[in-house]
Amino acid sequence: MDHFEYRRQELYCDGVRAEALAAEYGTPLYVYCAETIRHHFRQIDEGFRAVGLPPLICYSVKANSNLAVLRVLADMGSGFDVVSGGELRRIKEIGADPEKIVYAGVGKTEAEIGLALDAGIKLFNVEAPSELPRIDRLALERGKCADVAIRLNPDVDPGTHRYITTGKRENKFGIDRDRARAVLTEAEGLRGVEVTGIHVHLGSQITDVKPYVQGVETVLEFIDSVPGLGDRIQSLDLGGGFGIHYEGSEALPAHHCAEALAPLLVDRELDLILEPGRFIVGNAGVLLTEVITMKKSGSRSFAICDAGMNDLLRPALYDSFHRITPVLEKDGPLHATDVVGPICESGDFLGLERELRTIEEGERLAVFGAGAYAFSMSSQYNTRPRAAEVLVDGDDARLVRRRETYDDLIAPEREI
Ligand code: LLP
C-alpha cells in the first residue's frame, strides 16, 4: 500500500502533484511520502501487537537515512538499527532516544564501538567471537557494562537474491551455533559485557514466512540447548527482511509473519526486537527523472534519462525490477523501451524492455519502489551531484536534502 496514485492521468504523492515537484526542485528527484512510512510502521507494530508480541521496532537506518525520514519514525516511537558510526551520528542529530538503538555490523571499529558506548545504546549485536572481548575492554575502560546480543548464523535460506542473503552458513554474518556456544562460555568471565539477547537476520526482500519460522525454531532450539541460557536471554531480535511490492503485490502483510511466529514465541518471556528497513520505506519513495534523449540502436529504443546507476544502483547491482511510468499518463501505442541513465556503463539502466507509450524528450518518468536502498546507495560516480530529496506530508512538500553542487563534489579535495 502506498499514497502514490494517478488522478486525472497525473501522478500524485499524497496531496501533491509529482510534476509540480519536479518543476520546482528539478530532477533527478527523490520524493518520499510520510504517510506511507507511518502506515507501514503501524502495520508491523499492530500486526505483532495483535498476537501478543509487542515489538520494539528498530528501523534499519541503512534503507533510507535521510534525517527527515528518521524524524518521522522517531515521532512514531521507533528505535533504530545502526551499522556504523555515521548512522549513529544521524540518530544523535535528530535527538532520538539512544536506549532504542541496536548496533549490528560485521566490522565495527574500536572508534565506532567507543562512540556507541558513549552514546549509551541499548544493545550491540555481536557478529564475531573476537568482537566480544573488544567491546568488553572498551566498556571497562569507560567503567561500563554493555548489553550484547549474539548474532547467530542460523543457516537458513531466505529464498532471496544471493547478494542480500545473510543467514546462510557461507555468509560472513553472525556466528555459527558451535562457535556461539564457546562465545557464551567466554562471556561468563567478562565484566564489561552481559549477553542479554540473541539476534538473527536472514536476508532482505523475503516474501515468505517459512524462513522466519525456521529461523525462530533454530534460535529457540539453540537457547534450549545451552544450560541456563534461557534465564539470561531477555530479548530476541529477528532482524528485518520483510519484502515489499516491486512488480505487483508480492509482499506479505506484516500480520502474516506475526501470526506464524506467535505460536512459537508467546509462551517465551522474550522482548521482541524487529529491524525492518525496506518494508517501512521501500514503497514510500519514487525517483523522478527527466528523459534527456530518445534514440534507437538496431531494434532497441532507448529513453536516456537524467537519473542513472549512481542515483539508483539496484537494477545494475541486483538486476532488480522497479516499475516505471510517465508522470503524466497518456494514450497511444506501447513500445518496448530501455530506460537507461547517462553513465558510461552498459549496466547503467533503470529498466529494460518496458512497454511504454511513445516517450518525448523532456518528459518525466517515475521510478517506483525507490524509498529503500536507493538514495542511501547512491554515489557521485561520473562526478555527478547526488539528487535532491523531498518529503511530502499531506498537502505539504518540503525539501529535505538539497541537490549537491559541483562545489560540493570537489570541496574535500580543495581542502587538502
Ligand atoms: N538488520 C540487519 C542486520 C540487516 O543487515 C539489514 C539489511 C536489515 C536489518 C534491514 O533489512 P530490510 O528490512 O531492509 O530487508 N541493498 C540491498 C539490501 C541490503 C540489506 C542489508 N541489510 C537492496 O537494495 O536490496
Side-chain angles (χ1 to χ4, degrees), residues 60 62 81 164 201 204 240-241 275-278 314 318 373 377:
S60 194
K62 63 178 86 67
D81 152 42
I164 53 176
H201 171 74
S204 203
E275 301 171 347
R278 188 191 316 262
R314 302 192 73 258
Y318 313 114
Y373 305 109
M377 291 177 74

Side-chain angles (χ1 to χ4, degrees), residues 44-57 236 238 257-268 270-274:
I44 299 186
D45 192 46
E46 288 164 9
F48 279 84
R49 228 166 253 288
V51 297
L53 297 172
L56 171 62
I57 297 179
L236 172 58
L238 288 185
C257 198
E259 283 153 15
L261 295 180
L264 298 170
L265 290 174
V266 276
D267 293 335
R268 303 264 180 164
L270 290 168
D271 298 331
L272 183 65
I273 302 173
L274 299 171

